[in-house]
Amino acid sequence: MFLLLSVCLIAEPTKCHDERINLTFDNPNPFLCLRNSQATLAAWQEEHPDLHVKSWRCAPKGSVPDKT
């Protein structure tokens, strides 16, 4: 599963982009994603203090096009 994020710069809130986090479990179980996402989001936010997570969602790996 992927955790899909929409993030914006704290210094420039109108500058936003999408990020994706590849979660380690392959079972496309939305419940597992939702249950584990808070800790993953907190760790990601600590590593990216200049960004604000505007929104996020879980998505099965096959439902999201590969990043180019």
Side-chain angles (χ1 to χ4, degrees):
M1 298 230 26
F2 286 118
L3 187 56
L4 304 176
L5 312 175
S6 177
V7 297
C8 303
L9 287 171
I10 290 176
E12 296 182 62
T14 58
K15 289 197 175 190
C16 302
H17 67 275
D18 294 330
E19 291 280 338
R20 78 170 64 179
I21 300 171
N22 188 3
L23 299 174
T24 57
F25 50 92
D26 289 325
N27 182 3
N29 184 329
F31 175 75
L32 286 176
C33 183
L34 291 172
R35 186 180 74 186
N36 296 320
S37 62
Q38 294 299 317
T40 303
L41 284 168
W44 188 92
Q45 189 70 69
E46 273 189 37
E47 295 173 10
H48 302 86
D50 56 330
L51 295 171
H52 166 72
V53 178
K54 181 178 174 182
S55 64
W56 61 271
R57 68 181 177 94
C58 295
K61 288 183 180 176
S63 70
V64 180
D66 290 334
K67 271 185 139 176
T68 55

